[in-house]
């Protein structure tokens, strides 16, 4: 089924799981704009929405299906006929449609969410896949709360839905509960114990409640999953979903994993800004890969090392993710090398003694001012010359 065993498929759910964040709802035109950018980014699957949830979401799935050509367009459903019929209808213009259906798999969900039994839930899972298969060939099954499910039961469920026709099996850590080794072991167990597992792609879908979504996704991929689900900037309800940009750049940086994606990484920064603006959800400055400080060097030791050779403190080139540039930020913790770098940028060539003097003045200024601007630097040098 897979041509390249090391290729990881990227499933973006910014417009579905991501959009569940309170206050981040998007209009259909906004969603289309993001979907087109996701297509240009090279994602393989766009989860466009949950059609039964509202007429607006239904329409968004229809319009996104018309707007993009390359990626698979996916619609979410619960395991019931009404949801699935609505998704089939919403996907009718999609060149590559996929239905994402599923049900709870942990005893907690089976008992307290569905008031049901393992046997009944297994039956409903199989029926949902078979029913969806009548309308769409490509069916992804999600075993909700798989992170807390009994592993033998989970394996049974996954085996049954593959036999029913599921092409992708999603193992969500819905509550962000697992440790990386636990999640990785789960994926390996399924890979080694489920009959016909190679007929389907295993997908990892992790939430970030303990800040482990990216680590868990990587561990899942390292243990045999070949699809990763996440959102741009890691947005999503509660603490969010796996950050797609983080997973992609980890795979690109760590060749030892031997895995790769189709993502055009130089487009990452632009789409991050677009999602942040449209969803009115600022990116935290220290966010990996896309935060405004992700490539900003501010302490003297780091700045000096960076100016000697960038790779001393830079494991990703900013241009590789479309980030404007690395920056040397001037603060009271900066050293002479950083000050000299900025003065040279402004056209000043100072000898050692002049630089020592300018640095002395600079520290006094930086202790009282958080944001050192070019005019401050001009002032430092001009004042010095005048006082000579
Ligand atoms: O987190 C989750 O379990 C989900 C499923 C609906 C795939 O988002
Ligand atoms: Zn989710």
């Amino acid at each position: 089924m897979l041509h390249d065993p090391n290729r990881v498929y990227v499933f973006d759910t910014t417009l579905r799981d991501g959009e569940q964040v309170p206050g981040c709802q998007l209009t259909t035109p906004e969603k289309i704009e993001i979907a087109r950018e996701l297509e240009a980014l090279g994602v393989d699957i766009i989860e466009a929405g949950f059609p039964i949830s509202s007429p607006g979401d239904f329409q968004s799935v229809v319009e996104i299906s018309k707007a993009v050509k390359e990626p698979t367009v996916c619609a979410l459903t619960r395991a019931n006929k009404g949801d699935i019929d609505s998704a089939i209808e919403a996907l009718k213009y999609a060149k590559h449609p996929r239905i994402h259906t599923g049900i709870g798999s942990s005893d907690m969900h089976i008992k307290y969410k569905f008031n049901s039994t393992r046997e009944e839930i297994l039956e409903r899972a199989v029926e949902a896949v078979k029913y969806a298969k009548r309308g769409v060939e490509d069916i992804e099954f999600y075993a909700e709360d798989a992170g807390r499910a009994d592993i033998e039961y989970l394996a049974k469920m996954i085996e049954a839905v593959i036999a029913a026709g599921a092409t992708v099996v999603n193992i969500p850590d819905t509550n962000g509960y697992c440790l990386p080794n636990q999640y990785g072991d789960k994926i390996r167990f399924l890979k080694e114990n489920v009959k016909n597992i190679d007929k389907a792609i295993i997908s990892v879908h992790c939430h970030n409640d303990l800040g482990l979504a990216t680590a868990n996704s990587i561990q899942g991929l390292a243990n045999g999953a070949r699809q990763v689900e996440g959102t741009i900037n890691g947005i999503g309800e509660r603490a969010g979903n796996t950050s797609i940009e983080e997973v992609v750049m980890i795979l690109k940086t760590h060749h030892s994993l031997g895995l790769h994606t189709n993502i055009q990484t130089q487009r990452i920064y632009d789409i991050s800004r677009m999602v942040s603006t449209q969803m009115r959800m600022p990116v935290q400055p220290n966010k990996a890969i896309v935060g405004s400080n992700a490539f900003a060097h501010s302490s003297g030791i780091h700045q000096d090392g960076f100016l000697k050779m960038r790779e001393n403190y830079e494991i990703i080139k900013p241009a590789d993710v479309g980030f404007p540039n690395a920056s040397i930020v001037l603060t009271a913790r900066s050293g002479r090398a950083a000050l000299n770098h900025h003065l040279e940028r402004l056209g000043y060539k100072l000898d050692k003694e002049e630089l020592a003097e300018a640095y002395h003045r600079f520290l006094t200024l930086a202790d009282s001012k958080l944001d050192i601007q070019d005019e401050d630097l001009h002032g430092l040098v001009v004042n010095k010359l005048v006082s000579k």
Side-chain angles (χ1 to χ4, degrees):
M1 164 172 230
L2 283 175
H3 298 295
D4 176 351
N6 298 324
R7 163 88 138 84
V8 171
Y9 292 88
V10 175
F11 177 115
D12 180 277
T13 183
T14 305
L15 301 175
R16 199 280 297 170
D17 225 352
E19 209 231 4
Q20 290 174 196
V21 179
C24 288
Q25 260 188 314
L26 299 172
T27 61
T28 298
E30 285 171 333
K31 287 188 189 174
I32 292 172
E33 210 184 320
I34 292 179
R36 289 209 168 105
E37 201 56 35
L38 288 169
E39 179 171 37
L41 181 69
V43 308
D44 301 287
I45 304 103
I46 297 174
E47 187 161 49
F50 180 14
I52 197 81
S53 66
S54 75
D57 222 36
F58 180 94
Q59 202 50 34
S60 295
V61 176
V62 171
E63 298 304 331
I64 291 169
S65 298
K66 292 179 187 166
V68 303
K69 293 284 160 279
E70 281 298 315
T72 293
V73 178
C74 178
L76 184 81
T77 83
R78 291 164 295 186
N80 68 58
K81 291 184 176 173
D83 280 27
I84 294 169
D85 287 340
S86 168
I88 293 172
E89 177 68 15
L91 288 168
K92 72 176 175 212
Y93 297 103
K95 197 159 169 224
H96 312 288
R98 176 183 294 179
I99 287 185
H100 189 191
T101 191
I103 199 159
S105 61
S106 65
D107 287 330
M108 167 96 70
H109 278 216
I110 292 171
K111 193 161 174 204
Y112 298 108
K113 186 173 155 184
F114 295 100
N115 189 23
S116 187
T117 61
R118 286 186 178 185
E119 292 67 34
E120 238 175 61
I121 291 290
L122 193 65
E123 245 172 65
R124 282 175 64 180
V126 168
E127 268 171 33
V129 171
K130 285 188 178 156
Y131 190 75
K133 199 85 181 171
R134 291 164 41 259
V136 166
E137 179 48 36
D138 187 6
I139 308 297
E140 173 167 340
F141 176 82
Y142 64 85
E144 197 183 3
D145 203 21
R148 294 188 296 173
D150 173 77
I151 190 67
E152 303 283 348
Y153 177 69
L154 182 64
K156 202 167 155 189
M157 184 181 243
I158 296 304
E159 195 165 299
V161 296
I162 292 175
T167 44
V168 180
V169 285
N170 179 10
I171 314 300
D173 186 18
T174 305
N175 293 292
Y177 171 77
C178 289
L179 293 171
N181 66 313
Q182 294 170 334
Y183 191 70
D185 287 352
K186 230 175 235 294
I187 301 298
R188 202 181 52 246
F189 184 91
L190 296 175
K191 191 91 190 136
E192 289 174 355
N193 293 284
V194 169
K195 198 152 92 205
N196 288 326
I197 190 72
D198 292 335
K199 284 193 171 165
I201 295 172
I202 301 180
S203 186
V204 290
H205 177 118
C206 298
H207 280 264
N208 206 30
D209 300 65
L210 292 172
L212 291 171
T214 296
N216 285 349
S217 300
I218 293 292
Q219 218 36 39
L221 294 172
N223 280 283
R226 285 296 174 268
Q227 178 178 287
V228 60
E229 309 195 4
T231 59
I232 302 296
N233 300 335
I235 61 163
E237 62 184 283
R238 306 190 311 277
N241 287 60
T242 301
S243 258
I244 281 188
E245 63 276 10
E246 292 176 11
V247 171
V248 167
M249 291 314 293
I250 289 169
L251 298 185
K252 193 172 163 126
T253 306
H254 284 275
H255 299 138
S256 59
L257 289 166
L259 300 173
H260 60 92
T261 68
N262 192 36
I263 296 296
Q264 306 301 304
T265 61
Q266 72 287 357
R267 301 189 81 103
I268 284 177
Y269 185 67
D270 279 355
I271 193 164
S272 160
R273 296 290 119 176
M274 177 190 266
V275 167
S276 166
T277 307
Q278 292 205 356
M279 291 196 157
R280 299 161 289 279
M281 182 106 175
V283 176
Q284 71 192 62
N286 62 332
K287 166 82 179 62
I289 317 295
V290 291
S292 56
N293 288 347
F295 299 96
H297 305 273
S298 60
S299 76
I301 296 172
H302 287 203
Q303 290 173 330
D304 182 50
F306 176 85
L307 288 167
K308 284 176 176 145
M309 190 170 84
R310 299 177 72 112
E311 288 77 7
N312 280 329
Y313 287 96
E314 191 176 82
I315 59 162
I316 297 169
K317 289 191 180 54
D320 283 354
V321 294
F323 201 93
N325 229 325
S327 56
I328 301 284
V329 186
L330 288 176
T331 71
R333 305 291 153 257
S334 300
R336 273 160 233 239
L339 178 63
N340 197 36
H341 164 79
H342 279 287
L343 291 175
E344 283 187 354
R345 180 177 60 75
L346 296 174
Y348 297 111
K349 199 109 193 87
L350 273 58
D351 63 27
K352 211 171 162 189
E353 202 182 309
E354 287 170 326
L355 180 63
E357 257 184 63
Y359 183 63
H360 186 68
R361 283 170 207 272
F362 162 77
L363 284 183
T364 310
L365 182 69
D367 264 339
S368 61
K369 196 169 189 284
L370 287 180
D371 190 16
I372 306 287
Q373 300 286 338
D374 283 355
E375 54 267 33
D376 297 316
L377 298 179
H378 285 298
L380 276 182
V381 181
V382 171
N383 288 345
K384 173 180 179 283
L385 294 178
V386 167
S387 69
K388 256 192 169 176

